Amino acid sequence: MKTMNRLKLMLLLVLPSVSEHDSSRVVGRTGQDVTLPCRYEVKKHGLQSVCWNRGDLPLQECNNRLIATSKLRVKEETRVSSRYQLQGRLDEGDVSLTILNLTESDAGRYGCRVRVRGPFNDLKYHIDLNIEKAPITTTIAGRRGSDITTWKGSDITTWKGSDVTTWRGNDVTPTEPMVTLVQEMWSTAVQQQQVNSLQTFVGNTVRLSFIIFIPALLLTAAYRVWRTNQKPETDRRLNQSEEEEEEAVTCV
C-alpha cells in the first residue's frame, strides 16, 4: 500500500501539469453574432499563440482548427471562414472567438488552446454553444390601414377596426387593451386625413384664385390704358367737328 502511494506521488512530481478549465455554456440566436470567451494573463504567461478548435481539444495542438494566432497576429491561412473573428485585444490576452451570422449547424462544443512553454502546460478552455431560433415577426397592413395581422412564432394577432382577436394555439381571446389602442390609432388616422384634406382644399383654392385674379387684373389694366389713349383722339375729333360746323355757319 505504501509502495503504491509512493508511486502515485512520484508520478505527480514527474509528469508535467496540464491546465484545463471547466467548460462554460453560451447561448446564441440564428442570424445574430455570438462571442465565445477566452482570456489568459499576459503578465503571467507573456504573449502566446492561440488556436480555436471545433470539438474537444486533443492532447496537443488543434485537430479541427477554425482560426489561430501567432501572438499579436491572426494567421489568416488558418481561418477556415470569414465568419470567425478575433475582435478582442490580443495584446491584453483577449482571444475570444466571435462567430458572425449564426446558423443551427454552429451549435456544439468549441475549444480554445493557449500555448504555454513546456510540455502539457497549455491552457485549455471548452465552451458549449447552444443555438436558439430567433423569433419571426411579420406585419401586414390592409389597403385602408384598418386591418393589421401580426405573426410572432405561433401567435397571430388581427386588428380589424375596433375588433381585436388573438390566437394562441387553439385559444381565441379578445384583448380589450388592444381594442383601445386600435381605436386610438384609427381616430388619429382619420383626424390626420381630415387635416390633409383641409390643407389640400385651401391650397387648391389659393392656386385657383391666383389663376383667375392675375389675368383679370392684367386685362383691367390694359383696358384702362386703351381707354386713356382713346379719349384724346375722341376729344380731338369732336373739336374738329365743331370747328367745321362753325365755319359752315359763317359762310352761310
Side-chain angles (χ1 to χ4, degrees), residues 61-234:
E61 301 297 332
C62 291
N63 59 355
N64 191 13
R65 187 174 54 193
L66 301 176
I67 191 172
T69 69
S70 177
K71 296 185 178 180
L72 291 177
R73 182 180 67 87
V74 175
K75 300 169 69 175
E76 292 297 334
E77 65 274 13
T78 65
R79 192 198 305 266
V80 299
S81 172
S82 59
R83 295 174 54 236
Y84 300 121
Q85 303 284 335
L86 298 182
Q87 299 178 349
R89 293 288 301 271
L90 300 183
D91 58 335
E92 295 180 359
D94 184 1
V95 289
S96 302
L97 175 66
T98 298
I99 305 176
L100 308 179
N101 193 20
L102 283 174
T103 63
E104 293 184 7
S105 61
D106 291 321
R109 170 160 287 198
Y110 293 79
C112 173
R113 178 189 291 273
V114 181
R115 297 186 181 92
V116 180
R117 285 187 178 182
F120 304 101
N121 284 340
D122 293 350
L123 305 177
K124 298 166 66 177
Y125 303 85
H126 285 105
I127 299 95
D128 293 317
L129 175 60
N130 294 343
I131 304 295
E132 296 179 349
K133 288 186 178 180
I136 300 175
T137 301
T138 305
T139 301
I140 301 177
R143 292 182 180 179
R144 294 174 300 171
S146 57
D147 300 343
I148 302 175
T149 302
T150 302
W151 288 271
K152 185 175 183 180
S154 59
D155 300 339
I156 303 177
T157 302
T158 301
W159 300 351
K160 293 182 179 294
S162 60
D163 299 329
V164 180
T165 306
T166 301
W167 286 268
R168 295 182 181 275
N170 296 323
D171 300 331
V172 181
T173 307
T175 56
E176 292 188 4
M178 299 297 281
V179 172
T180 304
L181 175 61
V182 173
Q183 288 175 341
E184 292 177 354
M185 292 173 61
W186 179 252
S187 177
T188 302
V190 171
Q191 292 176 0
Q192 184 64 37
Q193 186 176 5
Q194 291 175 349
V195 170
N196 293 337
S197 299
L198 180 59
Q199 291 176 347
T200 302
F201 173 75
V202 172
N204 291 336
T205 302
V206 172
R207 284 193 290 269
L208 184 61
S209 299
F210 274 106
I211 292 172
I212 296 175
F213 176 74
I214 292 177
L217 184 62
L218 293 174
L219 289 174
T220 303
Y223 176 75
R224 288 181 177 178
V225 171
W226 180 78
R227 289 290 297 172
T228 301
N229 294 334
Q230 289 293 322
K231 186 175 181 182
E233 183 67 21
T234 302

